[in-house]
Amino acid sequence: MNRIHIVSNRLPVSINVNDDQIELIPSVGGLATGMRSVYKAYKGKWIGWPGLPSDDIDQKLSGRIDQALEKEDCVSVHLSKKEIDLYYDGFSNRTIWPLFHYFAQYIDYDPELWETFVHVNQKFANKALETLEEGDTIWIHDYQLLLVPEMIKSKKPGVTVGFFLHIPFPSFEVFRILPWRKELIQGMLGADLIGFHTYDYQRHFFSSVRRLMGYDISFNRIQIEDRIIIVDAFPMGIDYDKFKNAAIGVIQKPLQEKSKLHRELEKYFLLSPDRKLILSIDRLDYSKGIPNRLQAFLKFLETYPEFVGKVTLIMLAVPSRGTVEHYINLKKEVDELVGKVNGQFGNINYTPVWYFYRSMPFENLIELYSSCDVCLVTPVRDGMNLVAKEYVASRTNRTGVIILSEMAGVAKEMGEALIINPNNIKEIADSIKQALTMPLDEQRERMIFLQDRIKRYDVFKWSSEFVKSLSKVEKIQNSMHAKRVNSIIMEKIRSDYQNSKLRAIFLDYDGTLTGFKKNPNDAKPNEELHQLLYQLEEDPRNVITIISGRDRASLETWFEGHKINLIVEHGVWSKKVDREWKMLSNATDTWKSSIQPILETFVDRTPGTFIEEKNYSLVWHFRKAEPEQADLRANELKDELTTMIANHNLEILEGNKVIEVKTGGINKGIAALQFLKNKDFDFVFAVGDDWTDEYMFKELPESAHTIKVGLKHTAAKYKVESVSAVRTFLADLIK
Ligand code: GDG
């Protein structure tokens, strides 16, 4: 793999300018740690904003700051105060953040914010494009840069682009609220790999892609023309050993070296051995459920008065986005609630809530993690929540209980925590009681599982898994392009064609010779296609066969007057030029009366779908239905048919927006082989677009030239991208 670069809103360093002296302070956050290991190992650059508005930097210093950053392999994106205000505080934090955290009532829909967001994303993309070379890989982070993947891909398609979203991706019903929803999705789809913390966010994203863009999704892949985009869940981890070792260090420190906070914590326990501490740590953000937490603690003290005087909640709220109105209101609400609890239950010797509205040094954080009996994590929405993982890593004696909101991504990985609904105040209050009285053995049993899991999937594993997937998707994209018919492949096929004496040419119809129509009866050949086929037929060495899943009637009418054989219903019937229809196998259709009623119930339940009846098959068409519902129903139908298939010797074929139930033992591959029998063909050619054509590609002799229409995975030797490319190919072949 070539170089890997990182792009994020903030560079992993802060700048301190003191008397003309420039100091770079490396960030110690989890993301910086994980990503540093990646871009250093792959000799890339980190592109981002250095944290100082460009209007605050003396022009004379600006060049020197950039040079200092370059030494750290950092490339700075210069942003003015106004840009930060409208792009970062604005569209990122006042529009996307509330939208993605389901706070629709807080969303700011100001078009000026959107315009600056586009403009600043372009600035990031331009900086990245200056750095990138074709063949490089770039990993873009988070909601501030949702448009950057597409901005890079459209300019440098040979770059492999990864994108990771650190916050939730909301359900379609919420996402659709935004006027610029399509633009955001399009921006993200510039990436080759898109990562989320959980499968739920992935599923929501798929739903928006399907509904807004109509692209095909199968398993975790989105197919857009000649590109595959892989979407997957990568639950972010922490630097486990750093927390564990720091916790060991804190415990082993001699008394005189202990911090003031640590000594106070120890003093608290000395007053009475059955005293307990509950910890809560977050940025002061409305998504973190801080008021709920305080209400639940109040409820707990009211419901279980025996704990009054014995339990203290330590609440660290780190100031965040303090200029935004909703954050100012939240701060007021939290201040008042803390006052309420302390006013109601406090006394000279007892303060129920110790409230710190500031950030603390890392060492203090560890002291809190290792001293508190319970960690209370109650966000109403949270992409992951690393605090819960850090608490687990810091519990060196393997005790401690986590109370965890089911709305945090981390809840998916922490089944051993006490899982709560953050809006259920009584449930949280009861869980606090349960946590405080949980026997040590049970605490250890739960903690051992948690620690094993969090240790295994740490931040380094997380980033290396993402990088591994990036290299996998790079290989897939390359292989997709490798099979495409180019001038060299064309020359080879044409030369084989010209040097042959008898040629078998198998042509699928819908999706190959002509495009799909909503109504299958509208797909009759146009004049251009007729002319092309007439030219092909002129050469007596060409034996042309249209091989289709359609029934006999339409193809027979449409190709009257042509010197073309027909194979229809996937091989049940065949008709040679100027001969009668012949059945290729002893097919029966007695099964239809059992299957028809099942299909009918699916038509009734799925508006826009219909049944087509052929001689030896029944087809359920769902092209006109609402895509997501139809996909769901299609899976249900397959499920329901499974038991019937064996009983009646049937087969299910999944075509393009159709499910076809047909008599078993017949397919296009077997039918094509029968046609080749007893004749000395020295040139065999087949072209088709869907799953049913794969039988042909597999069954035909190794020397056959087989072509898939579309760029999906195939057994065919080559690919072309569209119906018009098939027509151009055939025209070139006979030139
Ligand atoms: C976003 C998503 C997702 C907190 N106070 C202090 C301090 N911290 C550190 C913690 C932890 C980090 O800040 C907070 O991380 P979270 O994950 O809990 O939350 P967000 O900041 O909202 O992060 C979130 C995350 O991105 C990663 O993808 O999990 O869902 O919202 O590491 O330790 N650190 C220090 N002093 C403090 O006072 N030193």
Side-chain angles (χ1 to χ4, degrees):
M1 199 181 225
N2 287 334
R3 298 188 304 167
I4 301 182
H5 310 279
I6 308 294
V7 194
S8 65
N9 174 56
R10 280 296 311 273
L11 283 172
V13 285
S14 303
I15 301 166
N16 218 345
V17 181
N18 227 335
D19 288 341
D20 263 20
Q21 289 303 307
I22 297 163
E23 190 193 2
L24 296 187
I25 306 149
S27 157
V28 289
L31 179 67
T33 314
M35 287 304 98
R36 217 171 263 131
S37 67
V38 171
Y39 90 108
K40 292 277 183 201
Y42 290 90
K43 307 200 178 333
K45 305 274 181 205
W46 191 317
I47 297 140
W49 177 52
L52 281 178
S54 49
D55 358 25
D56 280 358
I57 302 176
D58 186 336
Q59 279 309 303
K60 281 180 279 170
L61 278 179
S62 176
R64 278 178 52 209
I65 291 178
D66 283 357
Q67 279 168 10
L69 287 169
E70 260 166 47
K71 278 194 196 140
E72 295 299 312
D73 292 316
C74 290
V75 178
S76 59
V77 180
H78 298 284
L79 299 179
S80 68
K81 267 191 190 131
K82 186 163 181 219
E83 284 170 335
I84 293 155
D85 182 33
L86 299 178
Y87 140 81
Y88 181 69
D89 297 325
F91 198 78
S92 301
N93 289 337
R94 295 212 304 268
T95 307
I96 302 181
W97 180 272
L99 175 75
F100 282 35
H101 287 86
Y102 296 72
F103 279 81
Q105 69 279 25
Y106 288 0
I107 299 170
D108 195 334
Y109 295 99
D110 184 352
E112 197 191 354
L113 303 186
W114 163 249
E115 279 149 28
T116 314
F117 184 76
V118 177
H119 163 76
V120 172
N121 268 244
Q122 192 63 61
K123 276 181 109 169
F124 276 85
N126 291 348
K127 264 287 172 230
L129 285 164
E130 282 170 22
T131 313
L132 283 165
E133 286 163 21
E134 292 283 341
D136 280 0
T137 294
I138 192 156
W139 182 354
I140 302 157
H141 287 267
D142 227 359
Y143 64 101
Q144 302 92 352
L145 303 178
L146 287 168
L147 304 177
V148 175
E150 164 63 16
M151 288 170 170
I152 290 178
K153 196 69 177 182
S154 59
K155 288 281 171 352
K156 290 209 168 142
V159 165
T160 303
V161 181
F163 178 82
F164 188 85
L165 186 72
H166 289 262
I167 63 174
F169 194 92
S171 96
F172 174 65
E173 284 306 318
V174 170
F175 185 65
R176 72 188 307 178
I177 296 172
L178 191 73
W180 307 281
R181 66 235 174 142
K182 248 188 163 174
E183 286 86 339
L184 291 189
I185 291 281
Q186 242 151 2
M188 292 173 81
L189 289 175
D192 301 287
L193 173 67
I194 300 175
F196 297 99
H197 283 304
T198 71
Y199 175 67
D200 280 343
Y201 308 153
Q202 181 184 336
R203 179 165 79 65
H204 292 156
F205 176 70
F206 278 152
S207 155
S208 285
V209 169
R210 229 182 254 123
R211 283 156 185 254
L212 293 169
M213 320 300 288
Y215 293 139
D216 264 357
I217 297 169
S218 89
F219 299 106
N220 63 345
R221 292 177 181 198
I222 304 172
Q223 169 101 32
I224 307 177
E225 289 161 9
D226 60 342
R227 290 180 57 221
I228 289 273
I229 296 163
I230 294 193
V231 183
D232 217 335
F234 302 86
M236 187 178 168
I238 56 163
D239 184 351
Y240 188 93
D241 289 336
K242 178 177 148 191
F243 282 87
K244 183 182 162 192
N245 294 335
I248 294 171
V250 158
I251 293 162
Q252 290 173 345
K253 245 185 202 165
L255 184 68
Q256 64 278 15
E257 283 177 31
K258 285 189 176 167
S259 72
K260 187 162 170 274
L261 175 78
H262 201 188
R263 286 201 301 267
E264 274 166 12
L265 290 170
E266 289 188 344
K267 207 161 84 192
Y268 171 84
F269 288 116
L270 280 177
L271 284 176
S272 149
D274 57 354
R275 279 195 152 194
K276 303 267 186 197
L277 286 177
I278 302 172
L279 177 64
S280 102
I281 297 183
D282 344 65
R283 278 183 308 102
L284 191 77
D285 193 289
Y286 49 77
S287 64
K288 302 287 183 181
I290 299 170
N292 308 10
R293 196 174 309 166
L294 286 163
Q295 276 155 7
F297 187 59
L298 183 68
K299 181 96 183 152
F300 161 76
L301 293 176
E302 281 168 358
T303 318
Y304 304 103
E306 64 274 24
F307 287 95
V308 174
K310 291 181 183 159
V311 177
T312 295
L313 169 65
I314 302 184
M315 210 176 77
L316 173 59
V318 181
S320 177
R321 304 171 196 173
T323 55
V324 181
E325 182 200 350
H326 302 298
Y327 289 76
I328 297 170
N329 294 342
L330 174 70
K331 163 84 172 46
K332 226 171 120 214
E333 189 185 357
V334 170
D335 287 353
E336 282 170 13
L337 274 166
V338 171
K340 187 173 175 192
V341 183
N342 284 345
Q344 196 169 325
F345 288 100
N347 59 42
I348 305 278
N349 300 315
Y350 174 55
T351 311
V353 184
W354 292 352
Y355 174 35
F356 301 91
Y357 177 61
R358 55 174 181 255
S359 89
M360 286 191 181
F362 177 71
E363 190 194 352
N364 288 159
L365 211 65
I366 299 296
E367 287 156 359
L368 290 174
Y369 283 143
S370 51
S371 310
C372 292
D373 306 276
V374 176
C375 185
L376 189 52
V377 183
T378 62
V380 283
R381 292 281 164 188
D382 210 340
M384 170 55 70
N385 194 295
L386 299 179
V387 167
K389 293 191 173 183
E390 292 167 3
Y391 178 73
V392 168
S394 310
R395 304 300 300 173
T396 51
N397 65 0
R398 304 195 133 176
T399 63
V401 183
I402 304 184
I403 299 173
L404 186 54
S405 161
E406 64 185 55
M407 305 296 183
V410 70
K412 300 272 178 289
E413 293 170 81
M414 288 199 170
E416 295 79 6
L418 302 183
I419 305 289
I420 48 94
N421 175 332
N423 302 306
N424 190 338
I425 303 299
K426 183 177 176 302
E427 188 187 26
I428 306 175
D430 292 343
S431 298
I432 294 176
K433 156 91 183 331
Q434 188 188 346
L436 292 171
T437 52
M438 187 181 284
L440 283 180
D441 281 353
E442 186 182 342
Q443 291 186 25
R444 285 208 181 91
E445 214 173 285
R446 290 171 186 252
M447 193 54 87
I448 284 168
F449 277 112
L450 288 170
Q451 290 189 335
D452 280 357
R453 201 174 305 129
I454 307 296
K455 183 178 166 60
R456 224 178 316 122
Y457 205 90
D458 66 2
V459 70
F460 304 107
K461 178 86 178 157
W462 170 75
S463 56
S464 73
E465 286 294 310
F466 194 89
V467 168
K468 240 195 257 167
S469 295
L470 272 169
S471 99
K472 194 169 115 192
V473 74
E474 187 185 350
K475 284 198 192 103
I476 293 174
Q477 308 288 28
N478 289 343
S479 76
M480 304 257 311
H481 290 123
K483 281 188 163 189
R484 281 175 93 156
V485 171
N486 56 24
S487 56
I488 300 166
I489 296 172
M490 184 71 222
E491 241 351 279
K492 158 105 184 74
I493 301 177
R494 195 166 33 201
S495 128
D496 286 358
Y497 177 82
Q498 283 164 351
N499 294 327
S500 55
K501 296 192 189 65
L502 191 59
R503 307 167 187 139
I505 298 173
F506 294 101
L507 307 169
D508 168 51
Y509 187 66
D510 295 272
T512 300
L513 291 180
T514 193
F516 279 105
K517 295 282 178 312
K518 282 216 160 159
N519 184 342
N521 294 326
D522 294 341
K524 65 174 169 199
N526 62 10
E527 196 44 36
E528 183 200 68
L529 180 57
H530 278 303
Q531 288 311 321
L532 178 64
L533 292 171
Y534 284 134
Q535 283 179 42
L536 206 58
E537 291 157 38
E538 256 172 35
D539 191 327
R541 288 171 291 182
N542 290 349
V543 179
I544 304 160
T545 305
I546 289 187
I547 183 159
S548 162
R550 279 181 176 266
D551 63 7
R552 290 182 291 177
S554 39
L555 289 182
E556 188 172 10
T557 321
W558 291 346
F559 292 99
E560 210 179 348
H562 278 276
K563 281 185 245 153
I564 290 180
N565 306 314
L566 299 175
I567 297 178
V568 298
E569 295 196 24
H570 303 290
V572 175
W573 293 97
S574 73
K575 182 182 180 310
K576 293 203 170 148
V577 182
D578 297 332
R579 301 263 187 84
E580 289 305 307
W581 284 104
K582 230 173 83 185
M583 206 194 290
L584 286 187
S585 152
N586 296 325
T588 61
D589 69 351
T590 47
W591 51 268
K592 275 187 183 168
S593 56
S594 327
I595 301 291
Q596 180 105 17
I598 300 179
L599 295 186
E600 276 162 6
T601 61
F602 276 77
V603 171
D604 293 342
R605 290 166 60 213
T606 324
T609 67
F610 62 94
I611 301 170
E612 181 193 359
E613 182 170 358
K614 301 183 192 172
N615 286 315
Y616 291 93
S617 68
L618 288 172
V619 193
W620 184 59
H621 288 262
F622 55 92
R623 192 168 307 127
K624 286 195 260 182
E626 198 280 311
E628 208 161 71
Q629 187 192 22
D631 281 347
L632 203 78
R633 291 274 191 268
N635 284 332
E636 256 180 68
L637 175 60
K638 279 184 277 170
D639 207 41
E640 208 156 307
L641 290 171
T642 317
T643 47
M644 316 287 285
I645 290 171
N647 294 343
H648 295 281
N649 183 28
L650 300 175
E651 268 176 31
I652 298 183
L653 299 181
E654 274 181 79
N656 197 330
K657 309 282 180 208
V658 296
I659 287 186
E660 178 153 3
V661 189
K662 62 181 269 295
T663 307
I666 304 165
N667 63 47
K668 285 186 179 182
I670 291 171
L673 277 187
Q674 288 213 14
F675 246 69
L676 295 182
K677 256 194 207 159
N678 308 325
K679 284 221 173 143
D680 230 357
F681 290 105
D682 54 356
F683 178 89
V684 177
F685 173 85
V687 58
D689 72 305
D690 79 12
W691 195 77
T692 62
D693 300 305
E694 294 294 319
Y695 283 116
M696 272 199 296
F697 303 148
K698 283 185 200 139
E699 296 283 346
L700 287 175
E702 182 49 38
S703 58
H705 296 290
T706 50
I707 297 188
K708 163 99 174 170
V709 188
L711 298 156
K712 290 189 179 151
H713 182 71
T714 179
K717 276 191 192 149
Y718 311 113
K719 298 176 186 179
V720 292
E721 68 267 38
S722 60
V723 168
S724 72
V726 175
R727 292 190 183 188
T728 312
F729 175 91
L730 292 173
D732 283 354
L733 192 67
I734 51 180
K735 247 186 205 164

